[in-house]
């Protein structure tokens, strides 16, 4: 099939969202944990987390346009702290439910049955059921005028991961953690590693 720009533009809003969101392939599924200055916890699934650098350890993510209340984004800007919690097979349906629109004083932790935990006196809550999670300190954000989204950049401070998943060279075996991937807006997948290849040289 060949979809022209005109064809894409003619799709209804929901169909176009599913179609275009699927183009980029498998993405990581992560739960972003935050807390406001009143102590209200928030949890939101995000599929746009990406590596920015190892030294310092930086991570970025894209937040949808701030045209409606975005509790996660607002909490990050106000407190400067958040956690990133990888989604695994045992919690993917609960993680997906966090995408529903809850009021600010409704905790997605309570609504989905996920457990908030606080580690090393970090301000933002972690997801206890996540097997790979890390605390992040907000560094900067950039408003992307092209579509109204927000690029959020943070520096990783503490990482918590199951012992059996970290190999001798530092590689994290995500398959050992039962990590799931996401495509589009609502399709979750398990993974099978093909191989680790040697460093490519001419």
């Amino acid at each position: 099939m060949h979809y022209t720009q005109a064809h894409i533009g003619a799709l209804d809003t929901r169909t176009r969202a599913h179609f275009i969101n699927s183009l980029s392939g498998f993405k990581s599924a992560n739960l972003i944990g935050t807390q406001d200055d009143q102590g209200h916890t928030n949890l939101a699934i995000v599929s746009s987390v990406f590596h920015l650098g190892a030294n310092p350890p930086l991570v970025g993510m894209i937040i949808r346009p701030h045209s409606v209340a975005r509790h996660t984004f607002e909490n990050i800007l106000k407190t400067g702290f958040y956690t990133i919690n990888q989604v695994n097979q045992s919690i993917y349906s609960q993680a997906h439910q966090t995408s529903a629109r809850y009021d600010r004083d409704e905790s997605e932790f309570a609504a989905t049955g996920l457990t908030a935990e606080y580690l090393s006196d970090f301000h933002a809550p972690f997801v206890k059921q996540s097997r790979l999670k890390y605390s992040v300190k907000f560094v900067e954000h950039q408003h992307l005028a092209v579509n109204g989204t927000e690029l959020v950049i943070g520096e990783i401070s503490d990482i918590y991961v199951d012992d059996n998943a970290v190999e001798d060279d530092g590689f994290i075996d995500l398959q050992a953690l039962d990590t799931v991937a996401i495509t589009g807006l609502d399709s979750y997948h398990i993974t099978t590693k093909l191989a680790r290849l040697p460093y490519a040289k001419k």
Side-chain angles (χ1 to χ4, degrees):
M1 298 177 72
H2 175 201
Y3 289 84
T4 66
Q5 189 170 26
H7 290 142
I8 296 168
L11 295 172
D12 69 81
T13 302
R14 181 54 58 185
T15 301
R16 184 168 62 248
H18 280 298
F19 187 60
I20 299 301
N21 267 281
S22 299
L23 290 176
S24 57
F26 295 110
K27 298 170 285 188
S28 63
N30 294 280
L31 287 163
I32 310 304
T34 60
Q35 178 174 287
D36 67 17
D37 51 9
Q38 317 277 281
H40 299 123
T41 58
N42 179 263
L43 195 62
I45 190 164
V46 169
S47 62
S48 62
V49 171
F50 55 93
H51 165 81
L52 266 181
N55 187 26
L58 298 175
V59 64
M61 65 178 174
I62 300 294
I63 301 289
R64 287 185 292 174
H66 202 198
S67 52
V68 298
R70 299 287 181 205
H71 302 148
T72 294
F73 181 58
E74 293 163 8
N75 291 348
I76 290 172
L77 291 185
K78 192 147 196 180
T79 69
F81 301 100
Y82 54 106
T83 67
I84 299 180
N85 307 264
Q86 211 168 78
V87 177
N88 55 57
Q89 292 180 45
S90 65
I91 61 171
Y92 75 91
S93 58
Q94 294 158 289
H96 181 73
Q97 182 59 33
T98 65
S99 62
R101 290 188 180 177
Y102 293 96
D103 292 335
R104 174 171 287 283
D105 59 357
E106 291 182 281
S107 172
E108 287 83 359
F109 283 100
T112 62
L114 293 170
T115 307
E117 68 172 347
Y118 292 86
L119 301 171
S120 302
D121 295 320
F122 195 70
H123 176 78
F126 293 86
V127 177
K128 186 172 185 178
Q129 293 88 342
S130 177
R131 300 172 64 184
L132 171 56
K133 49 205 167 193
Y134 41 102
S135 50
V136 187
K137 296 179 181 178
F138 173 70
V139 175
E140 66 173 286
H141 92 276
Q142 296 179 21
H143 176 75
L144 305 183
V146 66
N147 64 352
T149 55
E150 306 288 343
L151 167 60
V152 176
I153 298 170
E155 183 170 354
I156 298 166
S157 54
D158 292 274
I159 301 167
Y160 305 90
V161 58
D162 287 6
D163 293 344
N164 67 314
V166 183
E167 299 187 0
D168 290 342
D169 65 354
F171 177 79
I172 299 175
D173 183 357
L174 300 183
Q175 191 170 313
L177 299 172
D178 294 326
T179 296
V180 301
I182 186 170
T183 57
L185 300 170
D186 54 15
S187 183
Y188 295 84
H189 308 261
I190 57 175
T191 63
T192 301
K193 182 171 69 177
L194 294 176
R196 287 190 70 191
L197 301 179
Y199 186 79
K201 297 179 181 178
K202 290 178 65 176

